[in-house]
Amino acid sequence: MSIGRKPRADSLRNREQLLTAAKAAFADAGPEVALEEIARRAGVGIGTLYRHFPARDALLAAVYQREVDQLTASAERLLAEHPPLAAFERWLHLLVDYLATKRVVAPALQAASAEGARLYAASGVPVMDAMNRLSGALIASGEVRADVQPEDLTRIITGLSQGYDRPDWPPSARRLISIVIAGLRPVGPPGPTAADRR
């Protein structure tokens, strides 16, 4: 086998199927769900699971890292596809999905190993960077009330996240998102952008 050879397409597909199945299984049955059940949901054999993830700790870490990566990468993608306020709203819904997974996976990840604890501790920085990117674009767009400040948006997200460790949190959080977006909209016509004010 040559050094640096790219993984085969079927191997990448199996890995993605395993991560998707693991996320769902952890949500349904907790982080101690049988690995055989995860393999069954992914439509692969247990040997395939172990080739990708030799231990439960590795699977927990991979699921969590993928959630962080998807959430942070989505900021730029959403801003490229939607106006800033719509991008911000969609990102908040993705944040709810991320936190729902974090509620289940993060405690087990931190308890599993020092490496898992480091991965968890490091995840806050990229998530905050994505949030700041969205907040900056939103305020500069003039799509929100002129008196909205970056710290207001930070507090909104912090408040939205309160209680995420409760199983009944996601529906309430999604209702709050619609309330927040309505409250951010200016009463009159859109205000000037940051470029207009310079």
Side-chain angles (χ1 to χ4, degrees):
M1 180 175 174
S2 63
I3 296 174
R5 182 177 177 182
K6 293 182 178 179
R8 294 183 340 196
D10 59 341
S11 178
L12 292 173
R13 183 172 59 251
N14 286 341
R15 186 178 192 278
E16 188 64 20
Q17 288 173 188
L18 282 163
L19 290 173
T20 299
K23 175 182 174 180
F26 291 150
D28 292 344
E32 296 305 318
V33 63
L35 297 181
E36 290 80 3
E37 170 62 13
I38 293 173
R40 184 192 67 77
R41 290 188 183 210
V44 302
I46 189 65
T48 298
L49 184 150
Y50 280 120
R51 278 195 295 276
H52 287 278
F53 309 106
R56 182 181 300 273
D57 298 358
L59 182 56
L60 284 165
V63 168
Y64 186 72
Q65 186 63 62
R66 188 181 73 154
E67 291 297 297
V68 173
D69 292 344
Q70 289 179 339
L71 180 65
T72 56
S74 67
E76 288 297 332
R77 175 180 58 80
L78 289 170
L79 285 170
E81 295 174 354
H82 305 281
L85 186 58
F88 184 67
E89 181 177 13
R90 285 168 168 79
W91 190 81
L92 289 179
H93 281 286
L94 293 178
L95 179 67
V96 171
D97 294 336
Y98 160 73
L99 290 173
T101 299
K102 178 180 176 180
R103 175 182 68 81
V104 176
V105 173
L109 180 65
Q110 293 180 89
S113 65
E115 184 58 34
R118 282 193 292 272
L119 172 61
Y120 174 77
S123 64
V125 173
V127 172
M128 185 64 69
D129 287 345
M131 184 190 77
N132 289 339
R133 172 76 179 92
L134 283 156
S135 297
L138 181 56
I139 290 173
S141 72
E143 286 190 85
V144 295
R145 294 166 41 138
D147 58 345
V148 173
Q149 301 296 314
E151 57 267 26
D152 298 331
L153 298 175
T154 301
R155 290 192 184 105
I156 285 170
I157 293 172
T158 301
L160 182 72
S161 303
Q162 292 297 312
Y164 82 90
D165 52 344
R166 291 167 38 190
D168 61 347
W169 171 79
S172 174
R174 295 192 192 282
R175 287 194 301 274
L176 285 174
I177 290 171
S178 65
I179 294 169
V180 164
I181 296 302
L184 287 172
R185 295 184 191 279
V187 176
T193 67
D196 295 332
R197 292 192 288 267
R198 286 199 292 268

